[in-house]
Each structure stands twice: as structure tokens, then as C-alpha cells.
Amino acid sequence: MIYPNNFENKIGFDDIRALLKSFCLSSLGKEMIDSLGFSDNADVINEWLTQVREFRLMMEEHDDFPLIHFFDVRESVKRVKPEGTYMDENELFDLKRSLTTISNIVSFLNRNEGETAAGEKIYPYPALQRLTLNVTTFPMIVQRIDEIIDKFGKIKDNASPELLEVRRELARTEGSVSKALYNILRSAQSDGVVEKDATPTLRDGRLVIPVSPSLKRKIRGIVHDESATGKTVYVEPAEVVEANNRIRELESEERREIIRILVSFASVIRPHISDMLGSYAFLARIDMIRAKSELARTFKGIEPIVGNKPHIDWTAAVHPLLQRSLEKVGKKVVPLDIMLTPQQRILIISGPNAGGKSVCLKTVGLLQYMLQCGLSVPFNEHSRTGVFKKIMIDIGDEQSIENDLSTYSGHLVNMKNMMKHADNDTLLLIDEFGTGTEPLIGGAIAEAVLKQFCNKKAYGIITTHYTNLKHFAEAHEGIINGAMLYDRNEMKALFQLEIGDPGSSFAIEIARKTGIPEEVIRDASELVGSEYIQSDKYLQDIVRDKRYWGNKRQNIHQKEVQMAKTIEKYENYIKELEGKRREILEKARQQAEELLKETNRRIENTIREIKESQAQKDDTRRIRKELDDYKSEVAEIDSAAKDELIERKMAQLKQRKERKDQRKQERAEQKANAEKALKEAVERKKMEERPLEKGDYVRIKGLTSVGVIESIEGELATVIFGEMRTKMKKGRLERTAKPIREERATYSSVTSSTRRAIDERKNNFKQDLDVRGMRGDEAVNAVTYFIDDAILVGMSRVRILHGTGSGILRQLIRQYLATNPAVTEYKDEHVQFGGAGITVVDLG
């Protein structure tokens, strides 16, 4: 339960929700965040927080998680439920891409890292993987969309045989109209009827010629429009009227066929609408979890383990919105340490005005609410927290003209509702408890209400200036005082919460700081009496001394922790040294045993050789000398066998041998590399100096595809790239190495059907590319394919229609063209043909 209805607005959660929505990738996530709510189930909250924790870890470990094409097409999908309805090309294109994203996310989260002993799969992100359960993917529908929609979201020519035939006829008709119109234009220009630089243009979808009004009767045709100045009229010559009419008819036929295709496809989607909407709910949840992770990164939040009982034990907690606001001006927020336990359920905070009491209260309310909404919270990772089933707040002015409530009456209404619903699972947040009426009776009512809260074992944070409430906290179990600290010397608030003693309001000091006349302050002091002034000073001194000794105690504790760490560190060193010593001694013992065995073998061999040689003096002397030499070596080693000395000597010998072997290997490798580099340089120099010949492997400068030269005629070379033969200047080619895996390189090995397809692609290549309406990356991708195709079919000039708009598309496309070595020049089209809205590209 949350009380009152404007609770989120009072604690500032509206701003948190707005910030969350700004991190979303689509309206899917924004809609889910709008419905984000408070939960009092610890298991549900922990699952939400685990999802965020795993997502943050996943984004740190992987950069290939699919986070593109989060399109919301739910309304379009719902619209095709009735028979005869359909989705248009753009909606179908968004459907395909978003369904692909859903499928990729499900596949990514279901990657496993093996199995347990019980045969259960181990997932790196189990909480996120559980979200994929019962989520349906639609690979067949995506494949079907691919059959009718191209990579730019347009209906393919071969989406149906009828559409292919209509578009072919339309292309032929448009070509004939354009040819006829240019013939008429050239004739009119030669007769002086039309200006020399005039070009055909479009008016109402029909090709027309711009003519001066005085000469419009020189061209037989229909006037369709005139310029804004009236100095130009646009005439459609009579010779192309019928052809233009036919174009209109074919365009209508094309549109009818497209609609028929889309209606037919809608019947494929219709049976899966319910499952599809469920899959988009999964996509919305992923979007929301990503937004939560971005919020956690912004606030430097953590995802704690939430207990199922009311509990607050926070260290270094900060108000996230206040922190974000102060960081913008280069300031830092003072962190808050606060604790509410069954033994200390209610905290009474007192202290000076503008000392941070209300901020402290709002911080607790906002962080607890964020936590129970499944959001990361900015406090120390060692903090502990629990769940409250009810959170109730009374803060700000509750005056209401509509409900005939004064400020104090509004507070009393809130107190009544709080007393009615409060229990041991409730968190109460009350600011300036008891104010708004005569202080004596207001304090008494506040104390009586506080007693009710105490009897109901409710948890709460209450701010006040009333002395009787401070005394009540001292006299009753479960309630504790707290103070917002104030520096009396600097006369400024410290915004630090000290739990254990009440705080002074520092009314006299603040009045003096604000410039109240000293006479007024003296009269006020006399009115309240010296005992009150003196007791307030004693209270300030107690708070000051407690703060001093608290800092001392904290410093001592820090030094004790550092000392404990140092002791532990040296104890670990001693254990490690002792372990190494035992290891060295054990190795020395094993080596001594091996030495003894070797000695016995030498003695036995000596005795056997003496016997076999029949005790010849020379042989006996030689054998005895060898045995004596070996004994001296053993004695030398034995004398040095003192713990670490043996190990050190052996290690030095071993290291010396390893260094010698390593230097020898490095010299051999350097020599081999030098010989190899020299050989490659000689071969490369020979290849560069030798002119291109038939059979050489080459590639177009700036491209990676490798082809083979079939023949050379002067400066032109015929090159075969895979299954494509093309002619181009030798200057555009550079020699390259033979590919590791050589593809079929002869045109004669291509099947007749493939050859026809290649020839048809050459014949149907259009010199104009329209990228208007595309996103930047899609447009650059389309231009890349278009330029590659133009190079392969031997085009020397092409045009790219990108429109004017904000100029972003034009800038991105020209940045790409500047990096392509096959492009010799690019410039704006003539102003009458489109000007800056069209880029003309010359290919070398």
C-alpha cells in the first residue's frame, strides 16, 4: 500500500520514471515503465534486481548483444486480425527486423556453459534466460517476408510473376517516354523554342518541358503548371501524352498487385497474432531492463539482496536526483548512514532549519520505493535492506481549498489514515511532525499520535523541532533520537545525520547569522529564560563532543582495520615462506636419494669392470681414478647441500641453460625471418615491375574481390571475378596473390541459367539509386552495394538521389565516396535536374 495517491510526486519518483523512459530504445519499453509499480514480495524484487545485475554484467562481458531494431508494430499486427486487411511495406519491414531481434536475443540468452551432474543446463545469465521461457520466435515468417521485401524495405520485383511483368513494362514505357521527350527537347532547343540548358522535369507525376509562356504554342501539348513567377510554363508534348497515361495505368496495376501480395501475406501472420504480441512483451521487458541498467550506471547504483522482513541498515546512501543535480555544478552530496531495526523502529530527527532533515526523509522514501520497484539504488554494497508492505508519507503543505482543509487539518487527515493502516510492516515518513497549530497543543497531539505508532510497532522517520518529542524518544523503547549536525564556528549546516542524541534548532545562532538585531535576540532570550538557553547550549556541546569522539573512534577503528590487514598480510608471507622452505628441503632429500643410488651404481659398475678386465693394472688405475673423481664431485655437492643453497645452485644452472637455448632459438628465428622477408621483397619487386599479363590474379584498387585476367587489348583488360566477366582499364587493377581457395574462374564453366541471370542483371542495372527516407547506416550500405555493382557492369557515371532535408544523408554518402578509390569525382547534379538533392558520381 502506498499513501497518499501523489506519493511518487512527493518523493520525486516522477523524475526517476521520466529519466528511465529517456533511456528506452522504443515505445515498447516506455509503455512498460509507465506501468512500473511497487511490489512487497521479496522474491519478485530480488528477481527484478538479479535481471538488472546480470544485464549489466552481460554488457561488460559482451559487445554483440542485439540491441537494434526495437520497433513497436503491435498496433499494425492487431490491425490485420480482420480478413482482407494488410500491413504496408514499411510496417512489414519493421516487423521482419524486430522479429529477427527477438529471435537473436532468445538465442543469445539460451547459450549454455555445459550441464550439471543432474543433466541440467548451466546458463551464464539464468534470470534473463528465464524470461525467454514460453517466448515464441518466428523464423518461417521472417523467411517469408524476405521473399517479398528487399534489404531496403521495398517490395521485390519477383514477389509475384504478375508484379515482375508489370514493372518490366513500366520500365520500358518510362524509358521510351524519356527518350521521346529528350528528342523533342533537343529539337525545340535547336529551333530556339526552349532554352539550351532546359531539362525535363516532373509535374503531377508526368514528365514535362519548361517553356517560356510566349513560346508555349510552339510545342503541341498540354500545359500542366507554371512557375511561381509566371515566367515558365510546363508543357507535356502531345507525343508522350498517351505513353504517360499508360505509365499511370501501370503504376495503378503495380499498386493493386502489391496490395494483393500484402493481403495474401497477412493471412500467414493472422494465426500467430497472439503469440507474436507475447514476443513483443518480451522485447519490451528487455528494453526496460536495459533502461534500468543505464539508470544504475548513471546513479552508480547497486542491486542488493532484499530480505523479506522490514529492515534498513544503509551506509553511504545518497539522494540520486540531488547527486545528479550537484554533480552538474561540481559539488558532492553528503552520504547518509541510517538504520531502522526491530529494536530501533522509529527515528526522530531534529536539528536546524535547512540542515537536511527533509532531504534525509525523502532520501529514505525514494530509495526504498526505487528498491521495491526493482531499481538499483546508490548506497554502499555492504548495506542491508528489507521490504515494507506499506509506505506512507506526510510532507509539504496539505492545504486544500476544494476539500475545505487548512494546512494543519490536512496533516491531521494524514495522521488519521496512518493510525488506521499502520502495522509492523509499515514505513512512516513524516516531516515537521505536529506543526501548523499552537505549539503546546500541537506538540501534545503529535506525542499522542507517536505513542499510537509505537504501540502498532510501525517503522518510521519523523522530523521535528518539538522538545517533548525528543524527550518521548529518550523515555520509550523502539524510538531513538537523531540530529542533523551544524558547525557552530562556521555557522553552516553539515548535512550529516548523527543517530543517538537529539539536535538543537540553533535558532539563536541562525537568527544572528541572518542579521536580526542583537537587541531583538537578547529580548527573545530573556523571554524563553536563561535555563532554556543554557540547556540548548549544553545540548549543542553534547552534540559537538559526541561528534569529536565519534571521529576519534572512527579513526581508531580504521587504524585497527589497517593493522589487522597488515598482520594478516605478514602472516600469509610467513606461511608462504615456510611452505617454500619445506618444498626446497623435500627436493633436496629426493636429489640426495638419487645421488646415493647413482653412487651405488657407479661402485657396482667399477667392481664389475675390474673383474671383467681381470685386474689389469692400467685399467684398474683408470677405473679407480674415475671412481675417485666421482666421489669428489659427490663430496662437493654434499658439502653444499645445505637447504636453500642446493636449490639455488641448481636453479642457476637451469636458468643459464635455458637462456643459452633461448638465445640460440631467437637467432635462428631472426635469420629465417630475414631470409623470408628478403625473398618476399624480391618476388614483390619482380611482380610490380612486370606488366599485367593474361592469367595474372588481380583486384580492383580499393576492393577485396580477386579475379583473373582473361585477355588484354591495349589499355583494357577482360577480368573474370567468380562468375562475372567485365572489362576495365588496367590502371584500375593491381596484381595480388593467388587466392587460397580458388573459386571457379572460367566463364565457360558457368551454367546457362547462371549466365542468363548475370546478363539480365547487367541489362537491368539502373544508373540512379534513391536512398530518400532511409536511415544513415542503411543509405551508406545501399550506396556501397550500388557502387560495387556499377564498377562490375562497367558504368562510368551514376546518380544518387538523397534529397536535401537536413543534409545528413548527403554528408554521410559523400564521406563514403571520398574513401572509395574507384570514385574519381562526385558533385551536385545540375540545379534543373535536382541540384544538391542529387550527387553525380564519376567512376574511373
Side-chain angles (χ1 to χ4, degrees):
M1 174 185 174
I2 298 299
Y3 178 86
N5 293 332
N6 60 345
F7 176 88
E8 291 189 357
N9 177 261
K10 284 181 174 291
I11 64 171
F13 190 78
D14 286 348
D15 295 328
I16 299 291
R17 194 186 296 273
L19 190 59
L20 258 179
K21 290 171 70 174
S22 70
F23 291 135
C24 287
L25 299 173
S26 70
S27 57
L28 290 162
K30 293 178 181 178
E31 184 177 313
M32 184 156 281
I33 286 172
D34 281 332
S35 62
L36 180 67
F38 163 93
S39 173
D40 57 12
N41 186 317
D43 293 335
V44 171
I45 296 169
N46 281 321
E47 182 73 5
W48 289 346
L49 293 173
T50 303
Q51 290 167 1
V52 178
R53 187 185 308 115
E54 289 183 358
F55 195 93
R56 295 177 69 181
L57 177 63
M58 180 178 68
M59 296 309 294
E60 291 175 1
E61 296 178 342
H62 301 279
D63 57 2
D64 59 341
F65 184 77
L67 285 175
I68 57 172
H69 303 150
F70 276 60
F71 299 117
D72 184 3
V73 295
R74 291 173 298 174
E75 291 302 320
S76 303
V77 171
K78 292 176 184 177
R79 195 178 65 242
V80 300
K81 282 185 178 181
E83 293 286 342
T85 55
Y86 63 92
M87 300 170 67
D88 63 31
E89 297 101 310
N90 292 332
E91 292 171 339
L92 210 57
F93 192 39
D94 288 346
L95 176 69
K96 172 213 163 183
R97 291 184 291 174
S98 53
L99 287 180
T100 301
T101 296
I102 292 172
S103 179
N104 291 341
I105 291 174
V106 171
S107 299
F108 188 97
L109 296 179
N110 277 281
R111 298 176 184 173
N112 63 78
E113 298 179 340
E115 295 183 352
T116 64
E120 297 179 352
K121 291 182 178 179
I122 301 173
Y123 297 102
Y125 313 108
L128 294 175
Q129 188 275 334
R130 286 192 288 272
L131 291 175
T132 67
L133 301 177
N134 302 320
V135 174
T136 307
T137 57
F138 304 92
M140 298 304 295
I141 290 179
V142 171
Q143 183 180 350
R144 181 73 181 92
I145 297 174
D146 275 335
E147 293 174 359
I148 62 176
I149 295 285
D150 64 18
K151 60 186 177 183
F152 306 117
K154 304 300 181 183
I155 299 291
K156 290 182 176 179
D157 291 351
N158 60 355
S160 74
E162 293 81 4
L163 182 61
L164 181 60
E165 183 60 33
V166 169
R167 286 186 172 175
R168 283 179 175 175
E169 185 178 352
L170 182 60
R172 287 193 298 268
T173 306
E174 287 177 340
S176 64
V177 169
S178 180
K179 184 177 180 181
L181 202 63
Y182 272 100
N183 289 335
I184 295 170
L185 179 62
R186 282 194 294 271
S187 176
Q189 287 173 337
S190 63
D191 294 339
V193 178
V194 178
E195 294 181 4
K196 293 294 183 183
D197 58 348
T199 58
T201 185
L202 278 174
R203 283 294 184 273
D204 296 330
R206 304 175 79 91
L207 280 170
V208 294
I209 296 174
V211 183
S212 174
S214 60
L215 301 173
K216 65 182 178 181
R217 299 191 181 278
K218 299 286 185 179
I219 297 179
R220 189 167 56 89
I222 301 171
V223 176
H224 281 277
D225 197 4
E226 68 177 4
S227 65
T229 60
K231 294 181 179 180
T232 305
V233 295
Y234 299 94
V235 178
E236 180 184 15
E239 293 89 334
V240 297
V241 170
E242 288 300 324
N244 274 333
N245 290 339
R246 179 57 181 159
I247 289 174
R248 288 294 183 91
E249 292 173 3
L250 289 172
E251 288 173 346
S252 298
E253 290 180 21
E254 178 189 29
R255 187 58 193 164
R256 285 194 297 271
E257 179 59 21
I258 289 174
I259 291 174
R260 187 196 66 77
I261 293 170
L262 296 176
V263 169
S264 174
F265 178 76
S267 62
V268 178
I269 299 176
R270 201 165 286 118
H272 306 286
I273 289 177
S274 179
D275 291 338
M276 201 171 285
L277 293 176
S279 298
Y280 277 97
F282 164 75
L283 191 63
R285 186 163 294 278
I286 293 295
D287 194 6
M288 180 179 70
I289 293 172
R290 178 196 167 277
K292 287 183 177 182
S293 72
E294 286 296 310
L295 187 78
R297 183 182 59 81
T298 301
F299 289 157
K300 302 178 181 64
I302 65 167
E303 300 79 37
I305 303 299
V306 178
N308 56 8
K309 297 291 184 182
H311 189 85
I312 290 179
D313 184 4
W314 301 346
T315 56
V318 297
H319 193 293
L321 297 176
L322 180 60
Q323 180 187 37
R324 193 162 182 257
S325 176
L326 291 178
E327 283 179 349
K328 292 179 180 179
V329 293
K331 296 182 180 180
K332 292 184 177 180
V333 65
V334 178
L336 172 71
D337 296 344
I338 193 165
M339 178 184 293
L340 294 180
T341 66
Q343 294 73 36
Q344 298 178 0
R345 297 187 307 278
I346 299 178
L347 174 64
I348 305 294
I349 302 177
S350 52
N353 287 317
K357 298 191 299 298
S358 299
V359 172
C360 174
L361 185 142
K362 284 187 175 182
T363 300
V364 174
L366 179 59
L367 295 188
Q368 186 65 37
Y369 191 74
M370 286 174 62
L371 194 66
Q372 295 192 224
C373 288
L375 301 178
S376 308
V377 285
F379 51 53
N380 189 278
E381 59 184 5
H382 299 297
S383 302
R384 293 186 298 161
T385 188
V387 170
F388 294 92
K389 296 187 181 299
K390 303 170 186 176
I391 303 180
M392 312 175 82
I393 190 169
D394 176 38
I395 188 171
D397 190 355
E398 297 295 330
Q399 184 173 350
S400 173
I401 297 175
E402 294 83 358
N403 297 326
D404 194 24
L405 289 176
S406 66
T407 299
Y408 186 64
S409 298
H411 288 305
L412 289 179
V413 169
N414 288 338
M415 294 304 104
K416 180 190 73 172
N417 290 322
M418 287 181 175
M419 286 187 289
K420 180 180 178 181
H421 297 287
D423 56 23
N424 60 355
D425 285 323
T426 302
L427 175 63
L428 304 171
L429 305 169
I430 304 174
D431 191 32
E432 300 294 351
F433 194 26
T435 57
T437 188
E438 195 274 321
L440 187 61
I441 189 62
I445 293 175
E447 185 175 336
V449 172
L450 180 59
K451 185 176 181 181
Q452 290 295 317
F453 293 154
C454 189
N455 293 337
K456 290 176 177 287
K457 299 189 181 300
Y459 293 76
I461 297 177
I462 298 172
T463 68
T464 187
H465 289 284
Y466 287 161
T467 304
N468 64 313
L469 297 182
K470 304 175 189 178
H471 293 162
F472 185 88
E474 294 290 341
H476 290 77
E477 291 185 0
I479 307 178
I480 189 169
N481 275 306
M484 299 306 298
L485 300 182
Y486 189 85
D487 190 331
R488 192 165 58 182
N489 295 325
E490 297 289 335
M491 295 301 291
K492 67 177 182 179
L494 299 176
F495 304 107
Q496 296 177 4
L497 175 63
E498 184 75 39
I499 296 178
D501 290 308
S504 168
S505 295
F506 291 93
I508 297 296
E509 288 79 1
I510 293 175
R512 186 174 284 116
K513 180 183 178 182
T514 55
I516 299 296
E518 193 63 33
E519 181 183 356
V520 175
I521 294 174
R522 188 167 51 253
D523 289 345
S525 300
E526 291 176 357
L527 289 172
V528 298
S530 61
E531 291 184 2
Y532 178 84
I533 297 297
Q534 201 64 31
S535 65
D536 195 49
K537 286 184 178 180
Y538 288 151
L539 184 60
Q540 295 174 20
D541 291 340
I542 290 171
V543 171
R544 181 199 61 205
D545 293 344
K546 185 174 181 180
R547 180 185 168 202
Y548 172 79
W549 290 113
N551 290 335
K552 283 285 187 183
R553 185 170 61 253
Q554 186 175 2
N555 291 335
I556 293 171
H557 176 69
Q558 289 176 352
K559 290 181 179 179
E560 287 177 347
V561 171
Q562 291 175 355
M563 187 179 296
K565 289 182 178 179
T566 304
I567 293 172
E568 182 182 2
K569 178 180 176 181
Y570 283 110
E571 286 177 348
N572 291 334
Y573 281 158
I574 292 172
K575 290 179 181 178
E576 186 178 350
L577 290 172
E578 185 63 28
K580 288 184 177 180
R581 181 177 180 277
R582 286 196 295 267
E583 183 180 344
I584 292 170
L585 290 175
E586 178 62 22
K587 285 184 178 180
R589 185 186 63 78
Q590 293 176 359
Q591 291 170 358
E593 290 180 355
E594 290 293 329
L595 195 62
L596 183 60
K597 291 178 182 178
E598 179 65 20
T599 302
N600 290 333
R601 282 196 299 271
R602 287 290 186 97
I603 293 172
E604 290 174 359
N605 291 337
T606 301
I607 294 171
R608 187 176 68 253
E609 288 182 12
I610 291 173
K611 288 180 179 179
E612 290 176 353
S613 63
Q614 297 179 352
Q616 293 291 331
K617 289 185 177 181
D618 293 339
D619 292 338
T620 303
R621 279 196 298 270
R622 178 179 58 77
I623 294 170
R624 287 186 180 279
K625 186 176 183 306
E626 290 178 358
L627 183 61
D628 291 341
D629 291 342
Y630 181 71
K631 284 181 179 179
S632 63
E633 290 179 7
V634 171
E636 181 183 351
I637 295 174
D638 185 61
S639 63
K642 303 298 182 182
D643 295 347
E644 295 85 0
L645 294 178
I646 297 174
E647 180 66 23
R648 191 181 305 118
K649 187 172 183 180
M650 293 181 66
Q652 289 173 351
L653 292 172
K654 185 177 179 181
Q655 290 175 359
R656 192 179 301 126
K657 186 177 183 302
E658 288 176 350
R659 285 196 298 269
K660 185 177 180 181
D661 293 341
Q662 184 178 0
R663 285 196 297 270
K664 184 177 181 181
Q665 183 180 357
E666 287 176 352
R667 285 195 295 270
E669 289 177 353
Q670 290 173 357
K671 183 178 180 182
N673 291 336
E675 291 176 351
K676 183 179 178 182
L678 180 60
K679 185 177 180 181
E680 289 177 351
V682 171
E683 290 294 327
R684 188 163 54 250
K685 184 67 175 177
K686 289 181 179 179
M687 290 181 66
E688 289 174 354
E689 292 175 352
R690 181 171 59 84
L692 293 176
E693 298 175 356
K694 178 181 178 181
D696 282 351
Y697 287 89
V698 295
R699 64 186 175 196
I700 299 172
K701 293 179 180 178
L703 301 181
T704 58
S705 300
V706 177
V708 63
I709 296 178
E710 184 184 50
S711 63
I712 296 178
E713 297 176 8
E715 290 301 311
L716 289 179
T718 302
V719 186
I720 297 175
F721 292 95
E723 298 175 350
M724 173 72 72
R725 177 188 285 112
T726 186
K727 284 188 177 182
M728 59 183 63
K729 294 179 180 178
K730 290 194 296 182
R732 290 179 54 199
L733 300 174
E734 61 183 4
R735 185 180 285 103
T736 185
K738 180 180 180 180
I740 296 174
R741 181 182 176 187
E742 186 175 356
E743 301 292 337
R744 290 182 302 172
T746 59
Y747 191 78
S748 58
S749 65
V750 181
T751 63
S752 58
S753 60
T754 303
R755 189 180 301 116
R756 284 196 300 271
I758 294 171
D759 292 338
E760 184 179 350
R761 181 170 182 178
K762 283 186 176 181
N763 294 333
N764 291 336
F765 180 81
K766 296 180 180 178
Q767 289 182 269
D768 291 355
L769 172 67
D770 189 353
V771 297
R772 290 173 296 182
M774 294 186 188
R775 296 178 178 87
D777 56 344
E778 294 173 344
V780 173
N781 195 29
V783 170
T784 302
Y785 284 110
F786 179 66
I787 295 297
D788 289 349
D789 289 345
I791 292 170
L792 290 177
V793 300
M795 286 291 174
S796 60
R797 171 172 286 190
V798 292
R799 302 197 319 159
I800 302 171
L801 286 71
H802 44 67
T804 52
S806 62
I808 297 299
L809 271 184
R810 178 175 180 269
Q811 181 183 352
L812 291 174
I813 290 169
R814 294 196 172 195
Q815 286 176 355
Y816 163 72
L817 293 174
T819 63
N820 193 321
V823 176
T824 59
E825 185 183 12
Y826 55 85
K827 57 187 177 181
D828 288 343
E829 176 61 281
H830 192 277
V831 67
Q832 292 185 346
F833 283 88
I838 299 174
T839 294
V840 178
V841 184
D842 290 330
L843 303 172

